[in-house]
Amino acid sequence: MKIKISVLVVVICVLTKFQLIRASGKASILFREYSNPSYTKLDMKCCSNNAGASFCRFHCYSVFKICISNGLEPSKKCDVIDYRTKMFQEDDIWFPSNLRDTVMDYPFNYTFQKWQGSLGISIDVYDSHDANNPLLIADFRDKEELSAQAINEATTKLVTIKKELIDRRRDDFSKLISFNVRITCDGGFLPPDCERKFCQPLDNEIGHYTCSPLGDKICLDGWVDVKTNCTIKYCVPHQDDVIGHYNCSKMGEKLCLDGWEKPKQNCTVKYCRPQNDNVNGHYNCTAKGNKICLDGWVNQTRNCLVKYCIPQNDNINGHYSCDELGEKSCLPGWLNKTLNCIMRFCEPKNDDSGHYECSNLGEKICLSGWVNETSDCTIKFCEPTDDVTGHYSCSPKGDKICLHDWVDEASNCTIKFCEPINNEYGHYSCLPNGEKQCLENWLNEASNCTIKYCVPHDNSSGHYNCSLKGEKICLEGWMNETLNCIVKYCLSKDNEFGHYTCSRLGDKICLDGWINETMDCTIKFCEARDDEGGHYACTKMGDKVCLDGWMVEERGCTVANRTSPYTAPSHDSTDDNSWWIYIIIGVAALLLLIIIVFTLLYCRKRKRLYKTLSEEVINLNQDEPDYGSRGFKLPITESHHHPSLTAKKEMFNHDDVQFSTFK
């Protein structure tokens, strides 16, 4: 069996789902055993000359070439250790060996500031019997991934991985190497990747924090300063009614500001003690420390030292204002604050400042013709009216205001408003009493004389009716109201309905070649004649009718009819009435051509059928059996005919109808 030998590329991949952080540690590789029990090289031949022997009897002179890389990238190959050992004259080696190789006997150490997650190891074993031409003994190529697992993250900082690689290309030529891998993290970091810090969540007097996936401490809500294990309370000084009124100590304790208490409630409770005297105030306290004034006292900001007083200005509660201490002060014009200032100050007047006298209680009594005591009777008496006595409303001062279309307040607005106009809004003048008087040719004062004077006509003066507004409406067949509809309705035409234009008065004017305006000029102009200018008479519609011996009305019947017995033949004129002869000749020629075509097609079809039958007779003759010794065929008689051929011959002799059904 062939030996499978490979170069060892040991990939130690410490898998982690966390992002790498700055850390430090050391990776160590310690070789334990190497075994080559068959004493053979890579080509399965003995390392030394063993002529005539059935197995290898002498040891190999083994040299190890060790390559340690930081990761698997080609650019980092052997960047940690690139070492070639001395020669070992053994094939079973336990390290540390008695041969005392200073490198193989001790761990290969790799110090890192940041563990990259993988370490590449490549080992080649050579036989050095011939120092100038060393031959490869083992070439380990078995790639594997190794994951390091910590035994107890809370206590250990060392992780060891044991690994054996065996070359099994042939069982009797297998080779083995074993080693340990150890990852050592610096203090405060945990294996296997040395990325995670040691962190245990706490929420007691020692600390108040949780841990991130990488072992960083995260302070709980309300605590700060990771360096002190989050033992300082979160505190920011405030002085507002929403959050609180306090400062902060070094340890985050809240210190209430003056006038506030209860730090556990963020110092949102005011300092308050109930009082009831004229020095400290008159109030009780709420749970929040707010002052509540006792009955009859107001203004908590002044400790309820202000008497309860609401300014009034009515005849029920009084007429007074209040000072800062709640004392009442009578308003101007009122007396006796003991009685809430309900007595008026009154002095009779009858001038521009007022028109009134006074009662025993100081009440004002308006003089005749004046009203509204509250304004010192300065408003005249006025009652809105809209009847025969007047048409007015009243202003706030009692002045009369004439209604729309009425004037002269002195006469109680009994004169209508009228302003003469003569435009689209009306046509009238005004009488002294304001009445409207329509101008000439205009009617209906109620509508501002906007209706025209109109009398229907249907004579030489005009042809129209009148609308409700006096507008003229032309009768049928007439138009132009501004001219009293004396213009006839006329629309120029030049078609089958007429041939005329229109005058300014609507009269029809026949176009050239047309006459009779009463019939819309639909009669052609025609004047009978029999001279060199033409030979025709005229119909009632003006159409020309050629005289005997003449034809072609469109040319004025100037073409002589050669077939007429009354007209001599003329070589210069054309007989236009002979067209029907040419039509008959053409039809006859077309019928003759059709008969000839059908005859040719019929003959051609008969010829093809005869040819087909002849070929079939020949074929049947050839298919008859040879009855003679010399190969002659018997003549075909009626009894020897093939049934299908007999049928076809009969069909050939039939008439045209049977011929058309031949198959």
Side-chain angles (χ1 to χ4, degrees):
M1 181 182 295
K2 294 182 178 180
I3 298 176
K4 180 180 180 182
I5 302 177
S6 61
V7 174
L8 171 63
V9 179
V10 180
V11 181
I12 304 171
C13 296
V14 180
L15 303 177
T16 178
K17 64 179 179 180
F18 305 122
Q19 184 179 0
L20 296 178
I21 62 172
R22 181 171 297 277
S24 60
K26 180 175 66 176
S28 298
I29 301 173
L30 179 63
F31 289 93
R32 309 300 300 173
E33 179 186 3
Y34 168 72
S35 175
N36 180 14
S38 62
Y39 307 157
T40 57
K41 296 179 290 187
L42 184 66
D43 57 3
M44 294 177 290
K45 295 179 180 180
C46 296
C47 291
S48 60
N49 188 3
N50 291 275
S54 60
F55 59 91
C56 299
R57 294 179 296 171
F58 302 104
H59 292 287
C60 298
Y61 293 173
S62 302
V63 176
F64 295 84
K65 186 179 184 304
I66 303 171
C67 173
I68 301 178
S69 306
N70 181 14
L72 302 179
E73 298 181 12
S75 61
K76 295 183 178 181
K77 185 176 182 180
C78 305
D79 60 342
V80 177
I81 294 177
D82 187 3
Y83 179 73
R84 185 184 184 96
T85 69
K86 72 175 185 178
M87 181 183 65
F88 293 87
Q89 295 183 4
E90 295 289 339
D91 288 294
D92 287 315
I93 305 173
W94 287 87
F95 299 101
S97 68
N98 53 0
L99 302 178
R100 302 301 300 171
D101 183 272
T102 57
V103 176
M104 293 290 285
D105 286 348
Y106 297 97
F108 288 90
N109 295 323
Y110 163 50
T111 301
F112 54 84
Q113 292 298 322
K114 181 178 180 181
W115 175 240
Q116 299 298 327
S118 62
L119 196 65
I121 303 175
S122 174
I123 302 174
D124 296 339
V125 184
Y126 294 91
D127 177 49
S128 60
H129 275 88
D130 185 353
N132 296 324
N133 185 25
L135 299 176
L136 193 62
I137 296 175
D139 183 2
F140 297 92
R141 292 187 176 275
D142 193 9
K143 293 184 179 180
E144 297 189 34
E145 280 191 354
L146 305 178
S147 298
Q149 299 293 330
I151 299 173
N152 187 341
E153 292 187 348
T155 59
T156 184
K157 294 185 180 180
L158 301 178
V159 175
T160 302
I161 305 170
K162 295 183 178 180
K163 182 65 180 175
E164 284 188 356
L165 295 179
I166 301 175
D167 185 350
R168 295 185 181 278
R169 297 190 183 184
R170 277 183 52 178
D171 291 341
D172 52 347
F173 290 98
S174 62
K175 300 174 178 63
L176 176 146
I177 190 167
S178 64
F179 53 88
N180 294 346
V181 178
R182 172 177 292 178
I183 300 173
T184 304
C185 298
D186 289 347
F189 296 90
L190 297 176
D193 47 24
C194 302
E195 292 179 332
R196 293 174 296 144
K197 297 177 181 178
F198 176 75
C199 178
Q200 182 176 2
L202 292 176
D203 189 13
N204 52 31
E205 65 278 2
I206 299 176
H208 305 273
Y209 58 85
T210 60
C211 301
S212 72
L214 294 179
D216 293 319
K217 296 175 182 177
I218 302 173
C219 290
L220 299 177
D221 289 341
W223 299 91
V224 294
D225 196 357
V226 175
K227 295 180 180 179
T228 63
N229 289 335
C230 306
T231 55
I232 297 177
K233 293 181 179 180
Y234 176 76
C235 180
V236 177
H238 282 282
Q239 190 174 0
D240 59 72
D241 294 335
V242 177
I243 300 177
H245 304 267
Y246 54 86
N247 286 322
C248 300
S249 69
K250 292 183 179 179
M251 295 303 295
E253 298 292 339
K254 295 174 182 175
L255 305 175
C256 291
L257 300 177
D258 290 341
W260 299 90
E261 58 183 348
K262 297 188 178 180
K264 292 183 179 180
Q265 297 182 26
N266 292 338
C267 303
T268 55
V269 178
K270 296 179 181 178
Y271 179 80
C272 179
R273 298 293 181 270
Q275 302 290 335
N276 191 12
D277 58 67
N278 293 331
V279 177
N280 297 311
H282 305 271
Y283 56 86
N284 286 322
C285 300
T286 66
K288 288 288 187 180
N290 294 318
K291 298 173 182 177
I292 302 176
C293 291
L294 301 178
D295 290 341
W297 300 92
V298 293
N299 200 332
Q300 293 90 340
T301 58
R302 299 184 62 176
N303 292 333
C304 303
L305 290 170
V306 178
K307 291 181 180 180
Y308 179 75
C309 178
I310 298 178
Q312 302 291 339
N313 191 14
D314 58 66
N315 294 331
I316 297 175
N317 298 308
H319 304 272
Y320 56 86
S321 60
C322 303
D323 63 13
E324 294 180 355
L325 296 177
E327 297 293 337
K328 297 175 183 176
S329 299
C330 290
L331 297 177
W334 298 91
L335 303 173
N336 200 336
K337 62 181 179 181
T338 305
L339 297 176
N340 291 334
C341 308
I342 60 173
M343 292 186 63
R344 293 175 181 266
F345 174 78
C346 181
E347 183 179 0
K349 290 183 179 182
N350 190 14
D351 53 25
D352 292 339
S353 62
H355 305 273
Y356 58 87
E357 55 186 16
C358 300
S359 69
N360 293 332
L361 294 177
E363 298 288 340
K364 296 175 182 177
I365 301 173
C366 290
L367 299 177
S368 178
W370 299 91
V371 294
N372 200 330
E373 292 82 359
T374 57
S375 63
D376 294 337
C377 303
T378 55
I379 298 176
K380 295 177 182 180
F381 177 78
C382 177
E383 186 176 0
T385 303
D386 189 14
D387 53 28
V388 293
T389 61
H391 305 274
Y392 56 87
S393 61
C394 299
S395 71
K397 291 289 187 178
D399 295 322
K400 296 175 182 176
I401 302 173
C402 290
L403 300 179
H404 182 65
D405 288 340
W406 296 93
V407 294
D408 193 8
E409 290 84 358
S411 64
N412 291 334
C413 304
T414 54
I415 299 177
K416 291 184 178 180
F417 174 79
C418 180
E419 182 179 359
I421 59 175
N422 188 17
N423 52 32
E424 66 272 16
Y425 300 107
H427 305 272
Y428 57 84
S429 59
C430 298
L431 298 175
N433 62 354
E435 297 291 338
K436 298 174 183 175
Q437 185 177 18
C438 289
L439 300 179
E440 187 178 2
N441 292 327
W442 295 93
L443 303 173
N444 200 333
E445 291 82 357
S447 64
N448 292 334
C449 303
T450 54
I451 298 177
K452 295 180 180 179
Y453 177 77
C454 178
V455 177
H457 283 86
D458 189 13
N459 51 32
S460 58
S461 299
H463 305 272
Y464 56 86
N465 285 322
C466 299
S467 68
L468 294 177
K469 289 190 174 183
E471 299 289 341
K472 296 175 182 177
I473 302 174
C474 289
L475 299 177
E476 186 177 2
W478 301 90
M479 61 182 185
N480 200 331
E481 292 83 355
T482 56
L483 295 177
N484 292 334
C485 303
I486 61 173
V487 177
K488 295 179 181 178
Y489 178 78
C490 180
L491 181 64
S492 299
K493 293 182 181 180
D494 190 12
N495 51 34
E496 66 271 18
F497 300 108
H499 305 273
Y500 56 86
T501 59
C502 302
S503 69
R504 292 184 178 181
L505 294 179
D507 295 322
K508 298 175 183 175
I509 302 174
C510 291
L511 299 177
D512 290 342
W514 300 89
I515 59 174
N516 200 334
E517 291 83 354
T518 57
M519 295 182 65
D520 294 337
C521 303
T522 55
I523 298 177
K524 297 178 182 179
F525 176 76
C526 178
E527 186 177 0
R529 61 191 306 170
D530 187 14
D531 52 26
E532 65 278 4
H535 308 273
Y536 55 85
C538 298
T539 66
K540 291 182 178 181
M541 298 304 294
D543 294 321
K544 297 176 182 177
V545 180
C546 291
L547 299 178
D548 291 338
W550 299 93
M551 60 183 182
V552 189
E553 288 83 354
E554 292 80 3
R555 297 173 60 178
C557 300
T558 57
V559 177
N561 189 347
R562 292 180 296 176
T563 60
S564 173
Y566 304 102
T567 306
S570 176
H571 297 287
D572 298 331
S573 62
T574 304
D575 188 359
D576 292 333
N577 292 326
S578 61
W579 55 271
W580 56 273
I581 298 175
Y582 296 109
I583 291 176
I584 294 173
I585 295 173
V587 172
L590 180 61
L591 292 173
L592 181 61
L593 179 62
I594 291 172
I595 292 171
I596 293 172
V597 170
F598 273 97
T599 302
L600 292 175
L601 291 174
Y602 176 78
C603 294
R604 186 178 181 184
K605 194 170 184 180
R606 291 290 297 263
K607 183 177 181 180
R608 288 181 179 177
L609 180 60
Y610 179 78
K611 182 178 180 181
T612 302
L613 290 174
S614 299
E615 291 175 354
E616 290 188 1
V617 170
I618 295 172
N619 292 334
L620 289 173
N621 226 357
Q622 294 175 352
D623 293 337
E624 290 291 337
D626 189 0
Y627 296 101
S629 59
R630 295 186 181 183
F632 294 104
K633 294 182 179 179
L634 295 177
I636 298 175
T637 62
E638 192 68 21
S639 60
H640 295 147
H641 285 167
H642 195 277
S644 62
L645 180 59
T646 304
K648 291 178 180 179
K649 290 175 68 178
E650 291 175 356
M651 294 288 286
F652 182 80
N653 294 328
H654 288 172
D655 55 17
D656 294 339
V657 177
Q658 291 170 327
F659 171 80
S660 63
T661 60
F662 177 83
K663 295 182 182 180

